[in-house]
Amino acid sequence: MGKISRALVTGGTGFIGSHLVDELAAIGCRVTVLDNLSTGHRHNIDHLGDRIDFVEGDIRDDGLLNRVVKGCDVVFHQAAVVSVSQSVQDPSHSCEVNDLGTVRVLDASRRNGVRRVVMASSSAVYGDDPRMPKTEDMAPKPLSPYAVQKLAGEFYASVFAGLYGLETVCLRYFNVFGPRQDPSSPYSGVISIFMKKATAGEAPTIYGDGLQSRDFIYVKDVVRANLLAATEAAAAGGVFNVGTGEIIRILDLWKMIGGLSKVQIDPLFDPPRAGDIRESVSDIGRIRQALGFRPQMALRQGLVNTLAWYRNPA
Ligand code: NAD
Ligand code: UD1
């Protein structure tokens, strides 16, 4: 498929979306961002000036979607209610955005001649299958409304491909981290919260015993996976894990961040969160073989870069 001339990035003022927009603009692609600024920020894309088009609006708004996808060859669908625990608190709202919103994005794409939609799915779909690492052929076992919604998005993508010939690719991101991840809510990603606490010299709260594991991937690596998904012929119709294959426990993560920040503070402990996955690590054999994807950033160096950004956001 090759070059991307014009793309829509839903959720493009958010953490992952804004890094994707940076890269697309850098390779000379004309980008439109559609975002309702619910968790994203204008300042994440302000530096791009008029090299991109920003449209403030909701992915559930059909008329608006039809307007912004016109002329795009690729849609990168990043917009979502991203917090697992928020979906447990308010399953209806996250369903509206994550499911109805996704169907609207797919529908507007196929009606307006978009060639390919790359969708942000999640490792949350695996739930608590005890087998490690997670491979894409394992039966999903969602534990939260968020996981069900992401899985439904994958099924919709496959059905739109079959019914309408729309090319779709679903990327199951594991836990993504890096500069611009917003730490401001209790629903934020754990690394962003731990960075904020370490920088302020405060104790974090760990939910459960801290021995739950995650596979953290640096945001720039996730952006590269998106570009491969958009441009490689072999990606069409695929579902791919996007992780590193490396495992870390949440307690060790805090120790590592404490060490890098030169603070030694014992964490506080609260009960585990409902819907939380215990063990999570990716097998990335499929995306490596099909698309040649290899993560480039080691966790430690990624944390150093991220900490530098939290100390001095640029
Ligand atoms: P984020 O909250 O920074 O980005 C989401 C963006 O979507 C925000 O800019 C928000 O304003 C926008 N948005 C939300 N609802 C919208 C709506 N109704 N209409 C228009 N825009 C809307 O989160 P992120 O971490 O950048 O997540 C991006 C995508 O990656 C999401 O689909 C998320 O589910 C997925 N994902 C993230 C991770 C992770 O670890 N961060 C892991 C797996 C999957
Ligand atoms: C995250 C993403 C989700 C994505 C999934 C993929 C966010 C907000 N969520 O969910 O979109 O689909 O990865 O795997 O980016 N924790 C603490 N203390 C804290 C915060 C969290 O102990 O202050 C624990 C949580 O209970 C959990 C782990 O850290 O066990 C990770 O939590 P979180 O960063 O919210 O990520 P996920 O729930 O894995």
Side-chain angles (χ1 to χ4, degrees), residues 62 66 69 103-104 106-114 160 166:
D62 236 353
N66 275 313
V69 299
V103 173
R104 293 244 156 101
L106 288 166
D107 203 20
S109 298
R110 65 108 185 164
R111 278 189 273 121
N112 289 282
V114 170
F160 270 70
L166 178 68

Side-chain angles (χ1 to χ4, degrees), residues 15-16 81-85 121-125 146 150 172-176 181 185-194 197 204-208 210 212-216 250-251 253 268 270-273 275-278 280:
F15 161 49
I16 301 169
V81 173
V82 309
S83 161
V84 173
S85 52
S121 185
S122 168
S123 60
V125 301
Y146 172 85
K150 285 291 172 180
R172 290 180 177 170
Y173 306 160
F174 280 65
N175 288 58
V176 189
Q181 192 167 26
S185 112
Y187 298 124
S188 301
V190 65
I191 288 185
S192 69
I193 293 176
F194 282 7
K197 294 288 185 185
T205 300
I206 288 185
Y207 301 111
Q212 66 267 44
S213 65
R214 290 293 186 274
D215 175 344
F216 289 100
I250 295 302
L251 204 46
L253 175 70
L268 307 168
D270 264 1
R273 281 173 163 174
D276 212 25
I277 288 178
R278 181 75 181 168
S280 180

Side-chain angles (χ1 to χ4, degrees), residues 145-169:
Y146 172 85
V148 173
Q149 291 150 16
K150 285 291 172 180
L151 187 58
E154 290 188 5
F155 281 126
Y156 275 115
S158 156
V159 164
F160 270 70
L163 288 178
Y164 311 116
L166 178 68
E167 290 184 7
T168 58
V169 188

Side-chain angles (χ1 to χ4, degrees), residues 272-295:
R273 281 173 163 174
D276 212 25
I277 288 178
R278 181 75 181 168
E279 306 278 4
S280 180
V281 65
S282 64
D283 179 310
I284 51 170
R286 182 184 283 185
I287 192 166
R288 192 173 53 231
Q289 273 153 29
L291 309 185
F293 173 76
R294 274 188 179 74

